[in-house]
Amino acid sequence: GMRSSTSNTIFVTQTFCYHWTSPLQDTIAPLLKGYQVGLELGDNDRACYCLVGRMYYLFFTGRTLGSIQQELEAAANVMTQLKQEENKLKITILLSSVKKLRGLDPEACDEMLDSILASAAETRNNLSAYVSAMKLEVLVFFQQWKEAVDLVQKAGNVQLFLSSTFVVVRYTFLAAL
């Protein structure tokens, strides 16, 4: 029935629509609700989509990296329990980026992102776009401009894989710098 589509509706509206017209912060609570409703209804896929969206938006709204890391680690455990491998990789991409920004074992973080990027290139899914977006975030933060330009040129048209999400808006802005 109608309730069974609630989690998907929340995911689509909060991830693809509302960030264009409302502050990104306003999507955090609804995405958590979408995750909770999805779990209640047994719609683990849509629930986890909401959780992934929420995690990225927490990052982009400027929460402290320590608090985001805690939530990401908890979310990664949830993804493991629910057997959501691709969603877990999206969380791992963000977690590796957060750890690198915090100065926590940056070499291991780079290796993890490169590993995900290599396997994503083989399967041709949108994980490579997430890796490129988060690598660009870190490079710009550390003002590594040459590496950032190289990444943008090598990544190709990331916008095709992340259409209408805030992640692609942010990537487009950073790539223009």
Side-chain angles (χ1 to χ4, degrees):
M2 189 170 248
R3 183 153 157 74
S4 66
S5 65
T6 302
S7 187
N8 189 54
T9 301
I10 290 171
F11 169 71
V12 170
T13 57
Q14 299 301 321
T15 305
F16 297 108
C17 302
Y18 288 157
H19 71 85
W20 294 105
T21 59
S22 303
L24 198 57
Q25 181 67 36
D26 293 352
T27 64
I28 303 295
L31 284 168
L32 180 59
K33 175 80 173 157
Y35 165 69
Q36 292 165 337
V37 168
L39 286 182
E40 288 170 17
L41 298 173
D43 188 357
N44 293 343
D45 290 341
R46 299 311 176 282
C48 290
Y49 291 167
C50 287
L51 186 58
V52 168
R54 181 176 183 275
M55 293 294 109
Y56 276 83
Y57 290 0
L58 284 174
F59 175 82
F60 291 123
T61 57
R63 295 272 177 98
T64 65
L65 294 175
S67 69
I68 295 170
Q69 182 178 337
Q70 288 178 330
E71 290 213 37
L72 286 166
E73 288 168 347
N77 289 334
V78 166
M79 299 298 174
T80 298
Q81 291 170 2
L82 297 176
K83 297 178 177 34
Q84 295 283 318
E85 289 309 311
E86 185 170 331
N87 284 317
K88 183 179 179 185
L89 287 172
K90 289 175 184 172
I91 294 293
T92 302
I93 292 165
L94 184 56
L95 180 58
S96 295
S97 302
V98 166
K99 285 181 175 180
K100 187 166 182 178
L101 288 169
R102 296 188 72 205
L104 303 174
D105 202 359
E107 294 81 20
C109 295
D110 284 339
E111 288 173 16
M112 176 61 72
L113 291 174
D114 290 343
S115 168
I116 294 170
L117 193 57
S119 69
E122 291 173 16
T123 58
R124 296 187 177 153
N125 61 26
N126 69 352
L127 290 175
S128 61
Y130 279 92
V131 172
S132 296
M134 294 315 301
K135 278 186 151 193
L136 185 60
E137 283 286 336
V138 173
L139 291 171
V140 168
F141 180 83
F142 287 118
Q143 298 181 358
Q144 296 172 316
W145 304 115
K146 182 186 179 326
E147 294 88 345
V149 168
D150 291 346
L151 177 104
V152 169
Q153 290 172 343
K154 186 178 177 185
N157 193 351
V158 168
Q159 290 86 341
L160 290 175
F161 296 99
L162 300 173
S163 61
S164 297
T165 66
F166 183 78
V167 176
V168 78
V169 174
R170 179 75 179 177
Y171 180 88
T172 302
F173 170 75
L174 294 177
L177 292 176

